[in-house]
Amino acid sequence: MIQINSIILTAALLGHASAQGCYPAYIIDGSYSAGEMVSATTIIESTSTESCTPPGTGLCPSSGFETTTVTTTETHNYECKSEPSSQFCSQSAFAPNGIYSGQAWIMESAECTGTAVSPAATIPAAWSGVGCPAAFSAGATYDAADVVSVAETGFIMVYQCADEPTNEFCGQNGYEPGTSQFSEQAWTALGSCMGTIAPTSSPSFDTIMDAGGCPAEYAAGAGYGAGDQVSK
């Protein structure tokens, strides 16, 4: 009699089958957003039990059954779930081949081999402003309604800081726009952007009259009257 038990050491939510190659390997604590594809390897233990004779001699246990365990690996592609679940894709506790994987990732049921061509990123609609605001700076102080830009895969996203008093969290660790666990509590995504924001005003110039060359050099202690000109 042969009994085979397959024990998958890591769990995931199965998705559709796919014959394409493997996407870039998942990086622990990397930055991932909804729809991004990665690959990850799962360790699988297969335990087989079969009868042996005579019991209690050689490698045959007294029970008359011998158990063998074989360890193999499988590599699958995973897709980061849509919001709000996507906020967990960048957290190591929700790694695509971990026990909480199903809360953040969808695993393709078919194994992958080779290298897949990454699909072009879907660029969100443009925000209402012109150009991209300054990049987000961790630890900085942000006022309510301040806007920042964050480079994501294939595009740049604009986020707006929340109203008071929640704006106090906008620069804190764990509230980074777009990638952190509590991002949506402090920031609102406004859309994608291109280029940079133009200066708020043009430089101004004062016109002076042509003095016909440089006046005499300034002399310490000399007497000067209103309207006198000197050069230095």
Side-chain angles (χ1 to χ4, degrees), residues 26-32 90-92 95:
Y26 170 79
I27 300 174
I28 295 177
D29 292 327
S31 177
Y32 297 103
S90 300
Q91 300 181 31
S92 58

Side-chain angles (χ1 to χ4, degrees), residues 218-229:
Y218 170 78
Y224 293 104
D228 285 351
Q229 296 182 338

Side-chain angles (χ1 to χ4, degrees), residues 30-34 36 80 83-91 136 148-152 155 157-160 170 174-190:
S31 177
Y32 297 103
S33 56
E36 284 198 64
C80 180
E83 295 182 356
S85 298
S86 60
Q87 63 182 314
F88 301 113
C89 291
S90 300
Q91 300 181 31
F136 170 77
V148 299
S149 62
V150 176
E152 301 192 9
F155 59 90
M157 198 70 176
V158 178
Y159 292 87
Q160 184 177 55
C170 288
Y175 293 85
E176 296 87 349
T179 59
S180 63
Q181 181 178 1
F182 304 110
S183 169
E184 294 182 353
Q185 297 184 24
W187 297 92
T188 300
L190 300 182

Side-chain angles (χ1 to χ4, degrees), residues 57-119:
T57 60
L59 297 177
C60 185
S62 58
S63 63
F65 293 94
E66 183 180 5
T67 300
T68 303
T69 300
V70 177
T71 300
T72 59
T73 60
E74 289 184 0
T75 301
H76 293 262
N77 285 326
Y78 295 78
E79 179 182 359
C80 180
K81 287 187 173 182
S82 58
E83 295 182 356
S85 298
S86 60
Q87 63 182 314
F88 301 113
C89 291
S90 300
Q91 300 181 31
S92 58
F94 298 86
N97 57 353
I99 59 176
Y100 301 114
S101 169
Q103 298 184 34
W105 298 90
I106 299 173
M107 186 182 86
E108 293 181 349
S109 57
E111 288 187 66
C112 67
T113 58
T115 303
V117 177
S118 298

